[in-house]
Amino acid sequence: MATQLLSNCRSLVRGGIQSNYHGKRLYVQGQLIAKERQYFYYIDHQGMLFLDDARMKNFTSCFKEKKFLKFFLKRVKVNRKDNNTDWPYVSPCGDEMNYIRCDDLPVVYQSIVHDKGVPYLSWGDEKGLLRVPLQISEIAMCPLSGRVYHPAPFRQGGVGLIKSKLAIELSNSFVFEGDEGSPSAIHWDGELHQLHHKVLSLLDDRPCLGRYSEVIK
């Protein structure tokens, strides 16, 4: 049933089987290698999911079906199979393996939702399709890119990107000291919280984020 769900959703956005090139590898969506059916995806910095070979990557062509997104994203994990930096993440489904590359990270937090007064960061959509408790002191801004991050589930790599719109809202509450490139604290819920920046150390371990290593101490 899960495989059928994936197949049905892919059929809505595919333009036919064709050879595609990314990095150093030629691939065909649905290719069968060593008894493994392979598909290839892309997640942008807004958290939208696409087939990697989609010619236009925008809201019109991204996946929107909630059951599919929840099923797919919950299974995302770091690709430790072959250290293939072209596809640093995978989402397994039975005999199928879905390979993923990202503009930044596979977890992109899109909004803050509340449940019984407790704040959560939502990913997959803006309404809490998937969520993690908000740890306000663990928010960190990369001084090189200006992007804002927060811890994510260990399976997905331990760190997630905060969508730019939400990051801008949070940045209005940042406190900077001197010429520091990153904020030292944040005003939240009537209190001042010191920021620890621990999550930035995880960026250096992500194969697609080596460009940040020079600013992570």
Side-chain angles (χ1 to χ4, degrees):
M1 183 176 179
T3 302
Q4 186 62 44
L5 173 63
L6 291 171
S7 179
N8 290 344
C9 289
R10 280 192 292 258
S11 67
L12 295 176
V13 296
R14 292 184 68 185
I17 297 177
Q18 56 183 338
S19 297
N20 302 281
Y21 183 81
H22 174 68
K24 299 178 181 179
R25 302 195 178 191
L26 185 70
Y27 72 85
V28 175
Q29 292 284 11
Q31 65 190 22
L32 186 63
I33 296 180
K35 298 182 179 180
E36 178 183 84
R37 186 71 64 184
Q38 300 178 346
Y39 295 92
F40 301 86
Y41 291 83
Y42 175 76
I43 297 175
D44 74 0
H45 66 283
Q46 302 294 335
M48 291 189 288
L49 174 67
F50 307 87
L51 282 174
D52 183 69
D53 54 339
R55 294 183 180 180
M56 298 293 292
K57 292 182 172 65
N58 52 41
F59 183 76
T60 302
S61 59
C62 72
F63 289 96
K64 305 176 188 66
E65 208 285 321
K66 301 301 183 184
K67 289 183 179 180
F68 169 77
L69 288 172
K70 188 172 185 178
F71 178 88
F72 186 98
L73 294 174
K74 280 183 67 175
R75 287 161 176 76
V76 170
K77 63 180 182 179
V78 176
N79 181 5
R80 304 189 189 281
K81 181 178 179 181
D82 55 9
N83 295 317
N84 183 355
T85 55
D86 287 340
W87 308 100
Y89 302 93
V90 294
S91 178
C93 176
D95 294 334
E96 293 184 2
M97 184 62 74
N98 301 299
Y99 289 86
I100 307 163
R101 66 184 184 94
C102 311
D103 176 67
D104 197 326
L105 292 166
V107 175
V108 180
Y109 297 116
Q110 301 187 27
S111 67
I112 296 175
V113 297
H114 291 80
D115 185 0
K116 298 180 180 179
V118 179
Y120 295 85
L121 283 170
S122 172
W123 58 292
D125 71 359
E126 295 184 352
K127 298 181 179 180
L129 182 70
L130 296 165
R131 65 187 192 180
V132 299
L134 173 62
Q135 303 174 61
I136 196 67
S137 295
E138 300 302 327
I139 288 175
M141 187 182 80
C142 175
L144 178 63
S145 67
R147 290 184 172 181
V148 181
Y149 298 89
H150 181 277
F154 176 79
R155 178 185 176 90
Q156 282 81 22
V159 56
L161 172 70
I162 294 180
K163 184 178 177 178
S164 56
K165 180 180 177 181
L166 178 57
I168 291 171
E169 294 175 4
L170 291 169
S171 69
N172 292 329
S173 299
F174 284 163
V175 176
F176 292 85
E177 295 182 358
D179 296 328
E180 290 186 5
S182 295
S184 59
I186 184 173
H187 290 285
W188 177 259
D189 199 22
E191 298 182 7
L192 183 65
H193 298 262
Q194 296 298 313
L195 300 178
H196 304 312
H197 307 292
K198 295 178 182 178
V199 74
L200 291 181
S201 65
L202 296 176
L203 296 179
D204 199 33
D205 293 330
R206 301 282 70 80
C208 56
L209 293 174
R211 59 186 181 277
Y212 294 146
S213 59
E214 64 188 77
V215 299
I216 299 172
K217 305 300 182 183

